[in-house]
Amino acid sequence: MMKKLLPLLLTGLSLPAMAAPPEVNVSTTLASLLLVIMLILVLAWLLKRLRLPAIQGDSNMKIIKQLTVGQKERILLVQVGEEQLLLGVTQHNISLLNKLDQPLPEPVVTRPEFATQLGKILKHDAKTK
């Protein structure tokens, strides 16, 4: 009996080894790799373009306001401790334009809740249909 089972067991164990290997399409693999690389580059460009503020801790320096005056030129109002400075920023230079004697009040930014914004968008979409 053992002599009959042994060949069957060996045959059953070797079936996956005799199966054909899966076909690897090199062009599909390269296209997928290029798509992922392009996605990473686009997201990096977007993050750089949006100029998202860094995570702010207990820093004594922060940007109060900024005004874009050219493609890569800005005017910044910066709070440093108790002082406020007006800075001109270009691609190659940062210049002190003025030191404010009377600090401007910081604007209070209130962000509406997500539910409120979503409700406004849905109402707007309902009106346009």
Side-chain angles (χ1 to χ4, degrees):
M1 174 110 170
M2 189 67 159
K3 289 182 180 180
K4 291 180 182 177
L5 287 176
L6 188 61
L8 287 175
L9 284 173
L10 292 176
T11 307
L13 292 175
S14 64
L15 282 179
M18 290 192 294
E23 285 190 35
V24 177
N25 191 348
V26 175
S27 61
T28 304
T29 304
L30 286 176
S32 299
L33 179 64
L34 287 174
L35 179 68
V36 169
I37 291 172
M38 291 300 294
L39 181 66
I40 291 170
L41 291 174
V42 167
L43 289 175
W45 177 79
L46 277 174
L47 283 175
K48 183 179 178 183
R49 193 77 178 139
L50 290 177
R51 295 182 183 169
L52 295 175
I55 298 173
Q56 295 184 4
D58 295 331
S59 177
N60 290 331
M61 183 169 49
K62 60 183 171 181
I63 297 173
I64 304 294
K65 282 193 158 211
Q66 66 177 331
L67 174 67
T68 304
V69 292
Q71 188 173 10
K72 295 186 178 184
E73 295 83 21
R74 294 179 289 157
I75 297 174
L76 301 176
L77 178 61
V78 179
Q79 178 87 31
V80 181
E82 298 296 320
E83 298 178 338
Q84 286 186 350
L85 306 172
L86 197 60
L87 302 176
V89 179
T90 66
Q91 186 175 4
H92 302 290
N93 194 13
I94 299 174
S95 303
L96 176 63
L97 301 177
N98 195 4
K99 180 179 172 185
L100 299 180
D101 296 329
Q102 294 257 329
L104 298 176
E106 290 187 37
V108 178
V109 179
T110 57
R111 295 183 181 168
E113 292 185 22
F114 176 75
T116 308
Q117 289 180 338
L118 183 61
K120 287 180 183 178
I121 291 172
L122 291 176
K123 287 179 186 175
H124 182 286
D125 286 345
K127 289 179 184 177
T128 58
K129 287 183 180 181

Short mmCIF file of all heavy atoms in Angstrom, two decimals, residues 49 51 66-76 88-91:
data_model
loop_
_atom_site.label_atom_id
_atom_site.label_comp_id
_atom_site.label_asym_id
_atom_site.label_seq_id
_atom_site.Cartn_x
_atom_site.Cartn_y
_atom_site.Cartn_z
N ARG A 49 4.45 74.25 -5.45
CA ARG A 49 3.68 75.36 -6.02
C ARG A 49 2.69 75.94 -5.01
O ARG A 49 2.46 77.14 -4.98
CB ARG A 49 2.92 74.84 -7.25
CG ARG A 49 2.34 75.89 -8.10
CD ARG A 49 3.41 76.53 -8.93
NE ARG A 49 2.78 77.51 -9.77
CZ ARG A 49 3.29 78.68 -10.02
NH1 ARG A 49 4.46 79.01 -9.55
NH2 ARG A 49 2.67 79.53 -10.78
N ARG A 51 2.98 76.05 -1.81
CA ARG A 51 3.70 76.69 -0.70
C ARG A 51 2.93 76.53 0.61
O ARG A 51 2.58 77.51 1.27
CB ARG A 51 3.95 78.16 -0.99
CG ARG A 51 4.85 78.38 -2.15
CD ARG A 51 5.11 79.83 -2.36
NE ARG A 51 5.93 80.00 -3.55
CZ ARG A 51 6.16 81.14 -4.11
NH1 ARG A 51 5.65 82.24 -3.63
NH2 ARG A 51 6.91 81.22 -5.19
N GLN A 66 1.18 88.03 3.22
CA GLN A 66 2.06 88.06 2.06
C GLN A 66 1.28 88.52 0.85
O GLN A 66 0.09 88.25 0.71
CB GLN A 66 2.73 86.71 1.83
CG GLN A 66 1.83 85.58 1.44
CD GLN A 66 2.62 84.32 1.19
OE1 GLN A 66 3.78 84.38 0.79
NE2 GLN A 66 2.02 83.18 1.41
N LEU A 67 1.98 89.23 0.00
CA LEU A 67 1.38 89.79 -1.21
C LEU A 67 2.27 89.41 -2.38
O LEU A 67 3.47 89.72 -2.38
CB LEU A 67 1.26 91.31 -1.10
CG LEU A 67 0.79 92.07 -2.34
CD1 LEU A 67 -0.66 91.72 -2.64
CD2 LEU A 67 0.96 93.55 -2.13
N THR A 68 1.72 88.71 -3.36
CA THR A 68 2.49 88.33 -4.54
C THR A 68 2.49 89.51 -5.50
O THR A 68 1.43 90.01 -5.89
CB THR A 68 1.86 87.09 -5.20
OG1 THR A 68 1.78 86.05 -4.23
CG2 THR A 68 2.69 86.62 -6.38
N VAL A 69 3.68 89.94 -5.90
CA VAL A 69 3.80 91.09 -6.80
C VAL A 69 4.39 90.70 -8.15
O VAL A 69 4.48 91.52 -9.04
CB VAL A 69 4.63 92.23 -6.17
CG1 VAL A 69 3.90 92.84 -5.01
CG2 VAL A 69 6.00 91.75 -5.76
N GLY A 70 4.77 89.47 -8.31
CA GLY A 70 5.32 88.96 -9.56
C GLY A 70 5.28 87.45 -9.53
O GLY A 70 4.75 86.84 -8.60
N GLN A 71 5.88 86.84 -10.56
CA GLN A 71 5.84 85.39 -10.62
C GLN A 71 6.60 84.76 -9.46
O GLN A 71 6.16 83.78 -8.88
CB GLN A 71 6.42 84.92 -11.94
CG GLN A 71 6.23 83.44 -12.16
CD GLN A 71 6.65 83.00 -13.55
OE1 GLN A 71 7.25 83.77 -14.29
NE2 GLN A 71 6.34 81.78 -13.92
N LYS A 72 7.73 85.35 -9.09
CA LYS A 72 8.51 84.80 -7.97
C LYS A 72 8.88 85.90 -6.97
O LYS A 72 9.81 85.74 -6.21
CB LYS A 72 9.78 84.14 -8.50
CG LYS A 72 9.48 82.93 -9.36
CD LYS A 72 10.74 82.20 -9.76
CE LYS A 72 10.36 80.97 -10.58
NZ LYS A 72 11.52 80.18 -10.91
N GLU A 73 8.15 86.99 -6.98
CA GLU A 73 8.42 88.09 -6.06
C GLU A 73 7.24 88.27 -5.12
O GLU A 73 6.09 88.21 -5.54
CB GLU A 73 8.64 89.40 -6.83
CG GLU A 73 9.87 89.40 -7.71
CD GLU A 73 9.65 88.76 -9.07
OE1 GLU A 73 8.49 88.67 -9.50
OE2 GLU A 73 10.64 88.35 -9.69
N ARG A 74 7.57 88.48 -3.84
CA ARG A 74 6.54 88.67 -2.84
C ARG A 74 6.95 89.75 -1.85
O ARG A 74 8.13 90.02 -1.67
CB ARG A 74 6.30 87.37 -2.05
CG ARG A 74 5.74 86.26 -2.87
CD ARG A 74 5.54 85.01 -2.07
NE ARG A 74 6.84 84.44 -1.74
CZ ARG A 74 7.06 83.64 -0.73
NH1 ARG A 74 6.09 83.30 0.08
NH2 ARG A 74 8.26 83.16 -0.49
N ILE A 75 5.95 90.33 -1.21
CA ILE A 75 6.18 91.24 -0.08
C ILE A 75 5.57 90.55 1.13
O ILE A 75 4.42 90.14 1.11
CB ILE A 75 5.53 92.61 -0.32
CG1 ILE A 75 6.18 93.29 -1.52
CG2 ILE A 75 5.64 93.48 0.92
CD1 ILE A 75 5.53 94.59 -1.93
N LEU A 76 6.38 90.41 2.19
CA LEU A 76 5.95 89.70 3.38
C LEU A 76 5.91 90.64 4.58
O LEU A 76 6.77 91.49 4.73
CB LEU A 76 6.92 88.57 3.72
CG LEU A 76 7.15 87.49 2.68
CD1 LEU A 76 8.22 86.52 3.17
CD2 LEU A 76 5.89 86.74 2.39
N GLY A 88 10.92 92.30 1.27
CA GLY A 88 10.76 92.03 -0.14
C GLY A 88 11.53 90.77 -0.48
O GLY A 88 12.72 90.66 -0.18
N VAL A 89 10.86 89.81 -1.09
CA VAL A 89 11.48 88.52 -1.39
C VAL A 89 11.44 88.30 -2.89
O VAL A 89 10.38 88.37 -3.52
CB VAL A 89 10.74 87.37 -0.67
CG1 VAL A 89 11.37 86.03 -1.00
CG2 VAL A 89 10.71 87.60 0.83
N THR A 90 12.64 88.07 -3.47
CA THR A 90 12.74 87.71 -4.88
C THR A 90 13.37 86.32 -4.96
O THR A 90 13.66 85.70 -3.95
CB THR A 90 13.60 88.73 -5.67
OG1 THR A 90 14.94 88.66 -5.19
CG2 THR A 90 13.07 90.14 -5.52
N GLN A 91 13.63 85.90 -6.18
CA GLN A 91 14.21 84.57 -6.37
C GLN A 91 15.62 84.50 -5.78
O GLN A 91 16.03 83.47 -5.28
CB GLN A 91 14.24 84.24 -7.85
CG GLN A 91 14.68 82.84 -8.16
CD GLN A 91 14.58 82.51 -9.63
OE1 GLN A 91 14.23 83.35 -10.43
NE2 GLN A 91 14.87 81.28 -9.98
#
